[in-house]
Amino acid sequence: MLLIKNGRVLDPASKTDAVRDILIDGETISEIAAPGKISRANDAEVFDATGLVVAPGFIDMHVHLREPGQENSETIETGTKAAARGGFTAVCCMPNTRPVNDNASITRFIVDRAKVHGHVRVWPIGAASVGSKGEDISEIAAMRDAGIVAVSDDGKPIATAILARQIMDYCRSLDLPVIEHAEDVSLAAGAVMREGIASTRLGLSGMPAAAESVCVARDVQLAELTDARLHIAHLSAKASLEQVRFAKKQGLRVTCEVTPHHFTLIDEDVTYDSRFKMNPPLAAREDREALLTGLADGTVDAIATDHAPHEPAIKDVEFDKAPFGILGFETAIGLALEELVHTNRIPLMRMVELFTTGPARVLGKDRKLTPGEPADVTIFSYDRPWTYRVKESSSKSRNSPFDGRNFKGGPAATIVAGRLVHRA
Ligand SMILES: [Zn+2]
């Protein structure tokens, strides 16, 4: 048994914000009560959470664990260790591994591997099309039976409108969300950052915001046509957010996520340092302002990191040649507190929602601190100062633009199925 004592329990599902003790028995939450009121906790191991926030287990619904195929950059073991260190209890891994997770045997490989080597829960996402090549629909039902929670061709968009329609139609019948990496590849061709004054100044090739929002518009209309559950991944542009807001007003089942780097940085922060290269690229100041509004007003459903490790040999090269993507797990809570909560843009409860009930709802799952529920708990500090040092990361890779950044508040402990998998 584990007793989490005296923490400030924040649970969006029950709207609880109070100091409580939580008793965990085995893999489940056994009792929640006012401090000192749990009588049968005498022989339990005690975690003193005085001064800390105790929340339902955080979910990162967009991550790359690189296994199978690119184990020099990350493995299920190292990736989930970094996730635990970042306060996440469950992660959804994208299918763009080598081979691509487009059939049940790869899905089972990931699920089995995660059972043995994973530090947190791993919920795979299956490829929407075979090999994510955008030609034929993949074996979605078989992958669903093997454990996928959604489909996506992430890394690229679902190639054509007709295929997107078929996939949405099919996934509606299975009640699975379709996650779109929204990008018009013709508008984005050859680009390495966002098009604008910053790209002109740096002499780097840019893609316009429309490269994303054109695809979002296509998909929103197809979601209306098919009544599918559509989720827009790593939404970065104001015009895309407006499409999602419009879709929600129409009652469509359209949701979206935003990454910490897109609500923190903008295109003017880009230098020739490839740690500032990601896709979608860092956007304009007005896009970031729109995302901050969407995070506050409920248009954005989830914060997801798009944790995208790349080993130094391939990432530490010229900006033009480097692959897209940065690490995300270990800085997510710190950035959310810094950019969203300490600035009074959103209440702490809303931040917790964006990491818990928000993504859970998109995935059709529950997330709450209630007796009888699985004991997945994220404990974090609201104001403890600390510095992120990427060389201490649990990830195999080092590609973070936030190395050396000072934070106020961050992960303190992570509990998965009653087990303390990380303690700061
Ligand atoms: Zn993507």
Side-chain angles (χ1 to χ4, degrees):
M1 289 201 288
L2 175 67
L3 180 69
I4 305 167
K5 255 177 93 80
N6 224 22
R8 176 182 170 192
V9 171
L10 269 182
D11 180 24
S14 61
K15 304 222 164 19
T16 303
D17 182 353
V19 175
R20 291 280 182 267
D21 286 355
I22 298 181
L23 182 66
I24 293 168
D25 191 353
E27 296 189 3
T28 53
I29 295 171
S30 166
E31 207 177 328
I32 302 177
K37 294 286 184 221
I38 298 178
S39 52
R40 45 190 207 88
N42 293 335
D43 53 348
E45 181 191 342
V46 174
F47 182 97
D48 184 359
T50 305
L52 298 173
V53 177
V54 178
F58 281 19
I59 300 167
D60 189 344
M61 64 173 299
H62 189 142
V63 321
H64 301 272
L65 297 179
R66 304 299 188 212
E67 187 178 359
Q70 293 157 287
E71 290 85 354
N72 285 337
S73 292
E74 198 78 287
T75 62
I76 288 168
E77 204 274 320
T78 60
T80 56
K81 192 167 187 196
R85 222 178 133 101
F88 293 100
T89 60
V91 299
C92 299
C93 56
M94 283 296 175
N96 59 340
T97 45
R98 293 179 193 164
V100 169
N101 179 19
D102 65 357
N103 66 77
S105 68
I106 305 285
T107 305
R108 274 193 296 271
F109 168 84
I110 293 167
V111 169
D112 291 346
R113 198 99 189 133
K115 265 189 203 131
V116 179
H117 299 286
H119 295 261
V120 305
R121 296 180 199 272
V122 174
W123 297 332
I125 293 168
S129 66
V130 175
S132 282
K133 290 197 172 104
E135 287 156 11
D136 305 298
I137 190 163
S138 61
E139 297 170 14
I140 297 173
M143 286 192 287
R144 198 262 323 257
D145 294 342
I148 64 163
V149 293
V151 300
S152 180
D153 276 347
D154 187 50
K156 46 193 168 182
I158 297 172
T160 62
I162 181 68
L163 184 66
R165 179 189 185 176
Q166 285 165 2
I167 289 163
M168 285 188 202
D169 253 330
Y170 191 62
C171 286
R172 186 209 45 230
S173 69
L174 297 174
D175 198 28
L176 276 180
V178 177
I179 301 178
E180 181 67 289
H181 166 119
E183 177 181 337
D184 182 294
V185 294
S186 65
L187 282 171
V192 296
M193 67 176 289
R194 174 62 86 75
E195 179 181 294
I197 292 165
S199 67
T200 306
R201 186 167 39 79
L202 293 168
L204 292 170
S205 161
M207 67 179 88
E212 179 183 278
S213 58
V214 161
C215 186
V216 174
R218 176 196 84 172
D219 289 332
V220 164
Q221 289 175 48
L222 293 173
E224 181 170 21
L225 183 65
T226 58
D227 191 29
R229 288 163 62 189
L230 168 68
H231 178 78
I232 306 298
H234 42 52
L235 185 145
S236 72
K238 182 180 178 199
S240 307
L241 192 74
E242 280 163 3
Q243 305 274 352
V244 171
R245 192 175 278 127
F246 171 79
K248 288 188 168 192
K249 277 201 186 112
Q250 308 299 304
L252 303 180
R253 299 194 290 169
V254 174
T255 54
C256 71
E257 74 197 22
V258 164
T259 71
H261 48 273
H262 286 114
F263 67 62
T264 302
L265 302 171
I266 58 173
D267 59 352
E268 291 167 32
D269 295 312
V270 175
T271 65
Y272 293 110
D273 182 338
S274 67
R275 290 176 304 173
F276 290 88
K277 182 175 176 181
M278 61 287 275
N279 193 13
L282 296 173
R285 188 176 297 277
E286 60 169 15
D287 293 299
R288 175 173 176 264
E289 285 305 319
L291 298 185
L292 292 169
T293 303
L295 285 157
D297 72 13
T299 309
V300 176
D301 297 272
I303 296 172
T305 70
D306 193 7
H307 177 80
H310 293 291
E311 60 173 313
I314 61 168
K315 184 67 171 175
D316 292 354
V317 298
E318 295 91 321
F319 199 93
D320 271 336
K321 291 184 185 132
F324 293 106
I326 62 167
L327 303 184
F329 290 138
E330 294 163 340
T331 47
I333 292 180
L335 290 170
L337 285 168
E338 176 179 329
E339 298 294 331
L340 308 176
V341 179
H342 295 325
T343 53
N344 292 318
R345 288 191 173 104
I346 68 173
L348 190 57
M349 182 70 94
R350 170 71 180 144
M351 182 195 113
V352 170
E353 182 179 66
L354 284 159
F355 281 112
T356 57
T357 46
R361 223 175 290 126
V362 174
L363 298 164
K365 290 182 179 285
D366 269 344
R367 200 86 323 204
K368 54 190 170 192
L369 291 176
T370 309
E373 288 291 315
D376 286 13
V377 183
T378 293
I379 303 175
F380 64 94
S381 136
Y382 177 77
D383 51 13
R384 177 181 60 88
W386 64 287
T387 304
Y388 176 60
R389 304 259 180 235
V390 76
K391 68 175 196 298
E392 294 162 10
S393 172
S394 294
S395 169
K396 266 196 167 181
S397 292
R398 295 290 177 259
N399 50 316
S400 170
F402 301 116
D403 186 25
R405 194 169 178 124
N406 297 316
F407 289 103
K408 224 177 106 195
T414 310
I415 296 164
V416 178
R419 269 191 338 116
L420 202 51
V421 295
H422 172 70
R423 186 170 198 163

